[in-house]
């Protein structure tokens, strides 16, 4: 399961661009991290919301993929993100979790924390779709 997710993760140019790392893969749960860089900030010097959204979307998508058949791939259908506080941290930790895995659609929740996983910075609700690979 890890190799399947890692192979897909390594093909994502955006993950390389922002320096994201695949940290953990479990059935129905994936963790992705991203270290702080001034190249990833918004006008106040915090992580840009787009960076948070990018890594938590991927964490949710890969969590969903762990529940899908081997001949499937995954795409995001929709998501909603709530930002709780400014992303003022040395590293983002995004955790995607499957709430309900269906044959075609999978509902996930994603959480973005600070480097110690103590402060919740953002929360995502997402719908993922299984497509043939």
């Amino acid at each position: 399961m890890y190799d399947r997710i890692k192979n897909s993760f390594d093909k994502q140019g955006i993950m390389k661009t922002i320096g994201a790392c695949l940290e953990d893969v479990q059935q129905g749960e994936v963790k992705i991290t991203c270290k702080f860089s001034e190249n990833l900030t918004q006008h106040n010097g915090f992580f840009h919301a787009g960076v948070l959204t990018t890594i938590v979307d991927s964490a949710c998508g890969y969590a969903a993929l762990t529940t899908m058949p081997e001949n499937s791939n995954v795409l995001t259908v929709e998501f909603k993100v709530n930002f709780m506080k400014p992303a003022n941290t040395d590293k983002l930790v995004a955790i995607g979790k499957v709430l309900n895995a269906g044959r075609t659609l999978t509902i996930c929740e994603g959480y973005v924390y600070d480097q110690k996983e103590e402060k919740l910075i953002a929360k995502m609700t997402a719908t993922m779709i299984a497509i043939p690979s």
Side-chain angles (χ1 to χ4, degrees):
M1 179 173 51
Y2 177 84
D3 289 341
R4 176 183 183 201
I5 303 303
K6 178 71 170 145
N7 288 337
S8 178
F9 183 87
D10 288 345
K11 292 177 185 173
Q12 288 198 52
I14 189 67
M15 293 297 142
K16 292 176 187 143
T17 298
I18 65 173
C21 297
L22 181 65
E23 296 291 338
D24 191 37
V25 176
Q26 303 296 324
Q27 182 72 21
E29 185 172 319
V30 168
K31 182 187 288 188
I32 296 173
T33 62
C34 182
K35 290 183 181 176
F36 181 82
S37 164
E38 287 186 14
N39 294 329
L40 303 177
T41 61
Q42 44 82 291
H43 60 283
N44 292 313
F46 306 126
F47 271 103
H48 193 282
V51 176
L52 279 73
T53 303
T54 298
I55 65 170
V56 75
D57 173 46
S58 285
C60 285
Y62 286 129
L65 189 59
T66 68
T67 67
M68 295 174 181
E70 282 292 320
N71 63 343
S72 296
N73 210 325
V74 65
L75 287 176
T76 303
V77 174
E78 63 83 31
F79 60 70
K80 179 186 185 313
V81 181
N82 292 102
F83 299 100
M84 314 294 189
K85 57 185 60 159
N88 187 17
T89 181
D90 291 332
K91 181 170 73 171
L92 298 172
V93 179
I95 300 170
K97 296 182 180 184
V98 171
L99 294 180
N100 186 44
R103 267 190 318 225
T104 305
L105 298 178
T106 300
I107 309 303
C108 300
E109 280 191 341
Y111 308 91
V112 182
Y113 295 98
D114 68 337
Q115 74 270 9
K116 294 181 182 177
E117 296 184 41
E118 294 173 351
K119 295 179 184 173
L120 181 61
I121 297 170
K123 181 184 174 293
M124 173 180 276
T125 304
T127 304
M128 303 295 167
I129 190 168
I131 60 168
S133 52

